[in-house]
Amino acid sequence: MIGNMTYKEVEEVAKELDSAVDIVMEYIKGKNLIELEDFASTVESYSKFLMTTIELNKDADKELADLKAIK
């Protein structure tokens, strides 16, 4: 879990953000809306950050489980 959300819930949010970015980028293609492109890029980066956070937390959970098993 991350906060009070399961990994699956966080992953769904990240995927929804990616989907929204794709829609926005398709809509603004060729319209020279630089600030909106920057915002969409920031949202895309945040989505990638969420996915990386999930993987790091899963790895940490596995290592903690291994350490508990050693005790």
Side-chain angles (χ1 to χ4, degrees), residues 8-53:
K8 183 74 173 160
E9 290 171 330
V10 175
E11 183 177 353
E12 288 172 9
V13 168
K15 287 180 180 180
E16 286 180 32
L17 289 173
D18 273 340
S19 177
V21 167
D22 290 342
I23 292 167
V24 168
M25 294 304 275
E26 186 63 32
Y27 180 74
I28 64 174
K29 187 186 285 185
K31 294 185 180 175
N32 198 26
L33 299 171
I34 303 212
E35 288 180 1
L36 189 53
E37 287 178 22
D38 288 345
F39 176 74
S41 177
T42 300
V43 172
E44 183 178 35
S45 295
Y46 184 67
S47 173
K48 289 177 183 176
F49 166 77
L50 289 175
M51 295 302 289
T52 302
T53 300

